[in-house]
């Protein structure tokens, strides 16, 4: 019933990684009856009382007992209080009374109300065993990964403007994701949070799935359904900072508890939040337990760890000073998570050039296994927003990423941050007229899909949302009434399914042998050509991207193999809204060097388009007199029989 000495020792040491089993509200059995135990950490409090619907919010008869000198308080109420609302009434050293939600509550009132709710998480029956076995058999590094980033409340709304519940979204969102070929859904934070427009990034209840969309069991059902359809679920997670609403973690017992004592370190001026004190052992226990909690109870497949750059360096300074507490915390977090499940995705949203973010901690790394490639995103979008005639001066923006593409395990993000707050939608970033915009967006997606690295696309991008993300409204689904948006949606479906079938586009994402430039220097025409390779030579693809609206015929491209090449994908196909400049016939390689390759082909280059070619394989056949005829083809090192 009471916490053990070992539990308390580990909590204050920063290594109690299942602290949610002790802290918070729990139903416990004693002498054949169900009672409710409450436990909270409030090291500076003078008194702590429990208030709620079971005592008319009067805590005089429900004062918690301080069970150690480090500020752990507990009470056992001899009743089953499941479903009751509650808060902690904290009397500070200077006599103030604070009403605080439970930091470890599993459920909370729907905003704008702020009380915690006694809730038992046990009892949901999972049906995702096949998914769990698949994850162990097929590690993600050599598999396709295309993540659909979703804000749960604004993907789609009901006719009356109400949000879909977790359970209802299982029927709405999951079939859509499967149809489009995405491999994972990444959900903007679902921890309890008071303000809709914080998108969940400013939380108050780290253990409480937000009640906006239903109960914790409803969220489990949604994730379970995703897994049954072969879709992984990644949760946006914010261990760096939290909101300062009165009922939350901020100054929890009247003094800095979860946050730094020093105001310079504590205050996150840009976001109006407070930074977690990552040097405090109890905060380590709270946050690392939280990661394991989501993995254990919700079967989350991974985390996109928000604002890593804001953690790695001390805030509010013009000089970048590394924060040793944050570095130590991130390493420990990743070590513990991967010890729990080596197949978890730990994705760092880091905009800095900090080295070895995705290297193991034993090799001096931070221990993540993926990092958002923010540099690629910024450079490519800058290039795409540049007019066709000026792109030749920005050529380096498209080539620079390959100088560091293999220094980390990268995910290429086209995320929510780039289509909100006046930045315009991806479609509307494209220069030119109506047709130009769609053609260039198709080209951008093609380049995105063929560049080394896993992929992420924010919702609405798949059908060419014209307006930027309106974070209080649903996506502009009425755009499906317009031909070009339907064609864009079909294009993304085709591109995604093509990507998943082509091993060259994902098998060697983290191996430099998987990429080779053919022509990286054609700035004048803004044409890029390169090779993607899988583990087997027959999976090789030739990719040609034309970032101008000029069409070229009989354009020479160097190739590595002496064989014929078949066009297998072309974004200029009329079915996608293009002009139809495609290469219908096989393109036979000629034994003349070009672009530093031993052979070349001549092909049609469509305007604002990506063209993908695959070398054909000649089969053995019979000659006119029944004699065996062997076709000659080339390897990277030359021809062979």
């Amino acid at each position: 019933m009471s916490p053990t000495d070992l539990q308390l020792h580990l909590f204050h040491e920063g290594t109690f990684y299942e602290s949610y089993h002790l802290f918070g509200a729990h139903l416990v059995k004693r002498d054949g009856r169900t009672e409710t135990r409450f436990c909270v950490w409030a090291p500076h409090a003078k008194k702590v009382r429990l208030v709620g619907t079971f005592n008319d919010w009067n805590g005089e008869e429900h004062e918690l007992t301080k069970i150690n000198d480090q500020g752990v308080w507990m009470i056992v109420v001899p009743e089953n209080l499941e479903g009751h609302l509650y808060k902690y009434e904290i009397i500070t050293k200077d006599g103030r009374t604070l009403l605080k939600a439970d930091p470890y509550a599993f459920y909370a009132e729907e905003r704008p109300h702020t009380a915690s709710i006694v809730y038992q998480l046990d009892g949901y029956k999972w049906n995702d065993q096949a998914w769990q076995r698949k994850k162990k058999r097929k590690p993600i590094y050599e598999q396709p990964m295309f993540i659909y980033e979703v804000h749960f409340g604004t993907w789609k709304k009901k006719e009356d403007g109400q949000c879909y519940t977790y359970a209802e979204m299982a029927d709405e969102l999951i079939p859509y994701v499967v149809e489009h070929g995405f491999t994972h859904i990444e959900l903007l934070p679902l921890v309890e949070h008071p303000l809709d427009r914080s998108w969940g990034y400013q939380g108050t209840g780290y253990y409480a799935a937000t009640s906006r969309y239903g109960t914790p069991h409803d969220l489990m059902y949604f994730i379970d359904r995703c897994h049954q359809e072969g879709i992984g679920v990644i949760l946006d997670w914010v261990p760096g900072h939290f909101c300062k609403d009165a009922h939350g973690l901020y100054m929890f017992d009247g003094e800095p508890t979860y946050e730094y004592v020093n105001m310079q370190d504590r205050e996150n001026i840009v976001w109006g939040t407070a930074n977690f004190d990552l040097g405090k052992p109890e905060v380590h226990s709270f946050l690392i337990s939280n990661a394991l909690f989501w993995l254990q109870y919700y079967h989350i497949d991974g985390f996109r760890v928000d604002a890593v750059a804001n953690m790695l360096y001390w805030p509010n300074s013009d000089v970048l000073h590394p924060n040793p507490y944050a570095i130590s915390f991130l390493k420990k977090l990743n070590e513990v998570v991967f010890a729990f499940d080596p197949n978890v995705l730990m994705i760092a949203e880091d905009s800095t050039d900090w080295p070895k973010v995705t290297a193991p901690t034993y090799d001096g790394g931070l221990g993540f296994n993926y990092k958002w490639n923010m540099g690629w995103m910024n450079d490519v979008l800058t290039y795409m927003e540049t007019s066709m005639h000026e792109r030749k001066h920005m050529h380096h923006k498209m080539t620079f990423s390959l100088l560091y593409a293999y220094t980390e395990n990268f995910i290429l993000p086209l995320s929510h941050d780039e289509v909100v707050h006046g930045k315009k939608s991806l479609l509307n970033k494209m220069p030119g007229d109506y047709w130009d915009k769609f053609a260039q967006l198709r080209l951008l997606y093609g380049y995105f899909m063929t560049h080394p690295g896993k992929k992420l696309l924010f919702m609405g991008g798949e059908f060419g949302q014209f307006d930027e993300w309106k974070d209080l409204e649903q996506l502009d689904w009425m755009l499906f009434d317009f031909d070009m948006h339907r064609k864009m949606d079909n294009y993304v479906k085709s591109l995604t399914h093509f990507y998943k079938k082509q091993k060259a586009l994902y098998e060697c994402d983290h191996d430099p042998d998987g990429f080779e430039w053919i022509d990286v220097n054609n700035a004048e025409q803004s044409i890029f050509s390169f090779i993607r390779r899988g583990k087997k030579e027959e999976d090789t693809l030739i990719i040609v991207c034309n970032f101008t609206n000029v069409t070229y015929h009989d354009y020479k491209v160097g190739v590595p193999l002496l064989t014929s090449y078949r066009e297998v994908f072309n974004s200029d196909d009329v079915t996608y809204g293009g002009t139809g400049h495609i290469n219908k016939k096989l393109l036979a390689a000629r034994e003349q060097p070009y672009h530093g390759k031993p052979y070349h082909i001549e092909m049609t280059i469509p305007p604002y388009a990506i063209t993908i070619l695959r070398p054909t394989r000649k089969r053995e056949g019979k000659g006119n007199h029944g004699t065996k005829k062997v076709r000659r083809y080339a390897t990277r090192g030359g021809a062979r029989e």
Side-chain angles (χ1 to χ4, degrees):
M1 181 69 71
S2 296
T4 66
D5 290 341
L6 178 61
Q7 286 176 321
L8 293 173
H9 171 77
L10 293 177
F11 176 70
H12 296 300
E13 184 185 63
T15 58
F16 190 14
Y17 303 136
E18 293 185 337
S19 58
Y20 48 86
H21 288 317
L22 171 61
F23 292 93
H26 295 272
L27 301 184
V28 293
K29 297 286 187 180
R30 185 165 64 174
D31 300 329
R33 67 182 183 186
T34 300
E35 301 180 333
T36 310
R37 184 189 69 204
F38 297 84
C39 188
V40 66
W41 176 57
H44 310 106
K46 183 177 181 181
K47 288 183 180 180
V48 180
R49 299 186 182 116
L50 181 69
V51 298
T53 50
F54 49 88
N55 63 9
D56 292 327
W57 302 94
N58 185 333
E60 291 292 335
E61 303 297 323
H62 292 89
E63 189 168 311
L64 279 70
T65 300
K66 189 176 182 180
I67 62 174
N68 71 358
D69 293 337
Q70 289 95 339
V72 175
W73 303 73
M74 194 179 79
I75 187 174
V76 178
V77 180
E79 300 176 54
N80 183 341
L81 297 182
E82 185 169 12
H84 277 278
L85 309 182
Y86 72 100
K87 282 188 177 181
Y88 294 116
E89 184 180 69
I90 296 176
I91 311 302
T92 67
K93 289 179 180 178
D94 58 4
R96 290 175 293 134
T97 299
L98 307 176
L99 281 176
K100 291 288 187 175
D102 187 346
Y104 282 87
F106 297 150
Y107 194 34
E109 279 189 291
E110 186 175 347
R111 47 103 174 82
H113 305 293
T114 57
S116 301
I117 301 175
V118 179
Y119 189 92
Q120 287 297 101
L121 290 175
D122 297 331
Y124 181 80
K125 180 175 173 56
W126 287 88
N127 296 286
D128 65 347
Q129 294 79 12
W131 169 258
Q132 301 298 344
R133 289 193 296 269
K134 177 185 175 184
K135 281 202 305 181
K136 294 177 182 178
R137 287 197 314 269
K138 294 185 175 182
I140 197 63
Y141 304 104
E142 296 178 2
Q143 299 299 315
M145 182 162 68
F146 190 12
I147 302 165
Y148 190 51
E149 189 187 30
V150 174
H151 179 253
F152 212 91
T154 57
W155 182 75
K156 183 182 286 187
K157 293 194 174 186
K158 300 178 183 178
E159 290 186 4
D160 62 0
Q162 295 299 306
C163 295
Y164 283 94
T165 66
Y166 295 119
E168 291 168 340
M169 279 283 270
D171 293 325
E172 293 287 329
L173 178 58
I174 296 173
Y176 184 88
V177 168
V178 170
E179 179 185 4
H180 284 76
F182 295 104
T183 62
H184 293 73
I185 298 172
E186 181 177 311
L187 299 168
L188 270 61
L190 289 178
V191 300
E192 195 56 83
H193 55 285
L195 179 65
D196 288 0
R197 300 200 78 172
S198 78
W199 315 330
Y201 289 98
Q202 297 184 12
T204 51
Y206 274 65
Y207 289 81
T210 179
S211 55
R212 287 168 173 78
Y213 316 121
T215 69
H217 282 174
D218 291 337
L219 176 55
M220 293 177 192
Y221 171 77
F222 173 81
I223 295 169
D224 197 6
R225 285 277 302 276
C226 285
H227 288 171
Q228 291 172 47
E229 294 295 333
I231 303 298
V233 180
I234 300 165
L235 187 65
D236 238 336
W237 189 58
V238 190
H241 64 107
F242 54 90
C243 77
K244 295 163 66 174
D245 288 51
H247 67 286
L249 299 176
Y250 187 66
M251 299 291 182
F252 186 75
D253 54 12
E255 298 182 34
T257 305
Y258 289 89
E259 60 273 76
Y260 290 105
V261 173
N262 186 301
M263 187 176 70
Q264 179 79 2
D265 304 330
R266 177 176 69 240
E267 296 301 314
N268 197 313
I269 296 172
V270 174
W271 295 316
T273 55
N275 294 312
F276 276 109
D277 183 347
L278 297 177
K280 194 172 290 183
E282 293 86 354
V283 172
H284 282 212
S285 290
F286 175 79
L287 288 173
I288 296 176
S289 291
N290 187 243
L292 296 191
F293 167 82
W294 285 100
L295 295 172
Q296 179 179 350
Y297 278 100
Y298 288 93
H299 292 203
I300 288 292
D301 299 292
F303 300 96
R304 178 265 200 184
V305 181
D306 180 65
V308 170
N310 188 66
M311 301 167 70
L312 288 173
Y313 297 99
W314 288 108
N316 308 321
S317 174
D318 294 332
V319 181
L320 293 179
H321 293 297
N323 180 343
Y325 302 123
I327 296 164
S328 176
F329 165 76
L330 291 171
K331 289 181 177 181
K332 182 161 72 168
L333 165 70
N334 287 317
E335 289 171 352
V336 173
V337 165
F338 285 121
F340 179 84
D341 182 353
N343 298 302
V344 173
L345 292 166
M346 293 297 289
I347 305 166
E349 190 241 354
D350 175 30
S351 57
T352 74
D353 59 357
W354 190 279
K356 293 189 173 184
V357 172
T358 58
T361 56
Y362 61 75
D363 189 33
L366 292 181
F368 291 93
N369 56 359
Y370 276 99
K371 172 182 173 174
W372 272 19
N373 194 336
M374 311 288 278
W376 174 89
M377 177 187 69
N378 290 326
D379 284 350
V380 168
L381 292 182
T382 298
Y383 181 88
M384 294 304 300
E385 289 184 86
T386 303
S387 70
M388 176 189 85
H389 301 290
E390 296 300 318
R391 283 176 177 165
K392 60 186 177 182
H393 304 302
M394 307 288 285
H395 198 74
H396 62 284
K397 293 287 186 181
M398 298 295 277
T399 62
F400 181 64
S401 61
L402 271 303
L403 297 178
Y404 62 86
Y406 300 102
T407 60
E408 305 278 5
N409 295 337
F410 280 121
I411 292 174
L412 310 181
L414 294 172
S415 73
H416 69 278
D417 280 328
E418 302 311 308
V419 294
V420 74
H421 294 330
K423 292 184 179 180
K424 300 188 290 189
S425 70
L426 291 178
L427 179 65
N428 218 9
K429 290 178 191 288
M430 304 298 111
D433 62 20
Y434 185 78
W435 185 89
D436 290 343
K437 287 179 178 294
F438 281 94
Q440 289 175 92
L441 186 60
R442 293 194 301 270
L443 172 57
L444 169 61
Y445 288 161
Y447 182 71
F448 161 69
M449 205 68 84
T450 56
H451 188 287
K454 308 306 181 186
K455 327 295 177 186
L456 176 142
L457 179 66
F458 184 58
M459 63 184 196
E462 69 277 10
F463 59 83
Q465 174 116 347
F466 238 121
D467 289 342
E468 67 180 20
W469 175 38
K470 301 179 287 290
D471 58 5
L472 294 178
E473 303 174 27
Q474 68 173 354
L475 297 180
D476 293 334
W477 297 106
M478 73 287 189
L479 292 177
F480 277 89
D481 293 336
F482 298 91
D483 185 56
M484 287 298 285
H485 292 278
R486 291 195 303 272
K487 288 181 176 179
M488 176 60 72
D489 189 65
N490 287 331
Y491 171 75
V492 170
K493 289 179 192 175
S494 297
L495 182 61
T496 303
H497 290 291
F498 176 82
Y499 159 73
K500 292 168 68 176
K501 290 179 180 179
Q502 305 300 321
K503 292 183 179 180
L505 297 182
Y506 59 78
E507 205 171 47
C508 296
D509 265 332
H510 313 306
D511 181 350
D513 288 341
F515 180 93
E516 181 183 353
W517 285 111
I518 295 173
D519 183 11
V520 68
N521 298 313
N522 191 351
E524 192 62 35
Q525 292 176 302
S526 297
I527 293 177
F528 301 83
S529 53
F530 52 92
I531 302 170
R532 288 300 307 273
R533 293 188 175 96
K535 291 184 175 181
K536 297 180 180 179
E537 188 175 72
E538 57 263 31
D539 295 324
T540 299
L541 296 176
I542 306 296
I543 293 100
V544 183
C545 298
N546 177 12
F547 287 89
T548 73
N549 63 4
V550 180
T551 303
Y552 298 93
H553 298 286
D554 302 321
Y555 186 95
K556 288 184 179 181
V557 177
V559 292
L561 305 175
L562 183 60
T563 184
S564 294
Y565 291 78
R566 183 188 305 279
E567 182 179 284
V568 290
F569 196 88
N570 190 325
S571 66
D572 195 49
D573 194 299
V574 292
T575 60
Y576 306 137
T579 63
H581 285 88
I582 62 177
N583 295 275
K584 294 181 180 180
K585 297 180 180 180
L586 289 178
L587 305 172
R590 302 183 182 186
E591 294 191 66
Q592 295 174 344
Y594 202 73
H595 287 149
K597 302 295 180 282
Y599 318 106
H600 77 270
I601 57 173
E602 294 184 1
M603 62 180 292
T604 294
I605 304 290
Y608 285 144
I610 180 171
T611 306
I612 305 177
L613 311 174
R614 175 193 282 280
T616 61
R617 284 294 171 243
K618 303 293 188 179
R619 296 185 178 181
E620 291 185 354
K622 297 291 183 179
N624 293 334
H625 301 289
T627 58
K628 189 175 182 181
K629 184 168 66 175
V630 179
R631 301 289 186 179
R632 183 183 298 270
Y633 69 101
T635 68
R636 293 180 206 173
R640 70 183 184 193
E641 293 292 341

